[in-house]
Amino acid sequence: QVQLQESGPGLVKPSETLSLTCAVSGYSISSGYYWGWIRQPPGKGLEWIGSIYHSGSTYYNPSLKSRVTISVDTSKNQFSLKLSSVTAADTAVYYCARQGAEWEPHDYWGQGTLVTVSS
Amino acid sequence: QSVLTQPPSASGTPGQRVTISCSGSSSNIGSNTVNWYQQLPGTAPKLLIYSNNQRPSGVPDRFSGSKSGTSASLAISGLQSEDEADYYCAAWDDSLLAVFGGGTKLTVL
């Protein structure tokens, strides 16, 4: 069974960089599939951040593209998210998820991690 | 403001059939398939319907999806108390951007 687990600081100061990691178990990232990040502000809906293929090719939400970097580490079977210059508007539960292929849905999700941006 | 439009709330009594609508545009629902996610309180979203009307293994056949033009619908028949959750529609935009609806909170009365 594929399992994903997010980890990282729960509190980030404004203007700093948010960094999260998603550890994958039950499946080898290097075998294929896309891997993505989605966030959900408290009490609000879902927003796709971006996705990465196991080879390292990426595509991002244009609204966040200038601040986002997603990378993959196949040796550790994990992928990561960096979001720079954060503000309070970036406070959200961040989910990592597996995506079947480039145009396919997110079929396995992590439990999510709350990141609060505050001084 | 979400790219896909859903009603903020829906409700029904046990055993009833309810539908949730999702409206988009020619660049997303109109040209790509629709997926639906169920989010139970305090949990991560779960894929409920993919490719407009396909159910992943383990999803009861009480849940069904359909698409016509730039709109889609999720139907839940034989409503049960455990169906009380938030439901989100999603699709890919032609620019390879994943878009979601704002979510519909389903209440079982």
Side-chain angles (χ1 to χ4, degrees):
Chain A
Q1 179 76 343
V2 180
Q3 292 186 313
L4 298 90
Q5 178 68 57
E6 306 89 349
S7 62
L11 181 64
V12 181
K13 289 182 169 57
S15 80
E16 295 190 344
T17 296
L18 178 160
S19 295
L20 295 174
T21 296
C22 180
V24 179
S25 59
Y27 185 84
S28 174
I29 285 181
S30 59
S31 295
Y33 288 108
Y34 283 76
W35 306 88
W37 290 95
I38 302 101
R39 70 180 183 179
Q40 183 173 35
K44 296 187 178 181
L46 300 166
E47 180 181 35
W48 175 73
I49 299 171
S51 299
I52 188 165
Y53 191 48
H54 70 92
S55 63
S57 62
T58 56
Y59 52 112
Y60 301 130
N61 187 326
S63 69
L64 299 169
K65 187 175 182 178
S66 63
R67 299 194 291 130
V68 172
T69 301
I70 297 176
S71 58
V72 64
D73 187 338
T74 54
S75 67
K76 294 182 179 179
N77 215 41
Q78 64 186 34
F79 60 105
S80 300
L81 168 71
K82 290 188 186 300
L83 181 66
S84 64
S85 305
V86 297
T87 69
D90 295 310
T91 293
V93 174
Y94 285 76
Y95 297 100
C96 60
R98 190 185 80 166
Q99 181 185 324
E102 202 167 44
W103 297 89
E104 293 190 2
H106 299 90
D107 56 0
Y108 288 94
W109 295 62
Q111 65 185 26
T113 187
L114 175 63
V115 178
T116 302
V117 178
S118 174
S119 56
Chain B
Q1 194 79 356
S2 300
V3 174
L4 306 181
T5 302
Q6 297 180 238
S9 63
S11 63
T13 56
Q16 202 173 25
R17 181 177 187 271
V18 298
T19 61
I20 297 171
S21 63
C22 175
S23 178
S25 68
S26 57
S27 67
N28 42 64
I29 293 180
S31 51
N32 298 292
T33 60
V34 177
N35 309 304
W36 290 89
Y37 297 90
Q38 177 192 57
Q39 186 175 33
L40 297 170
T43 69
K46 167 192 167 184
L47 181 62
L48 193 67
I49 297 286
Y50 68 96
S51 296
N52 302 328
N53 55 19
Q54 302 298 303
R55 288 185 306 277
S57 174
V59 173
D61 59 6
R62 303 186 294 106
F63 295 91
S64 62
S66 64
K67 179 186 123 172
S68 178
T70 59
S71 295
S73 291
L74 171 71
I76 309 172
S77 60
L79 195 63
Q80 299 179 5
S81 58
E82 54 261 40
D83 298 333
E84 191 160 285
D86 293 327
Y87 292 85
Y88 293 89
C89 60
W92 288 96
D93 187 271
D94 286 345
S95 59
L96 205 57
L97 162 69
V99 293
F100 290 91
T104 298
K105 184 176 184 62
L106 175 63
T107 301
V108 181
L109 302 169

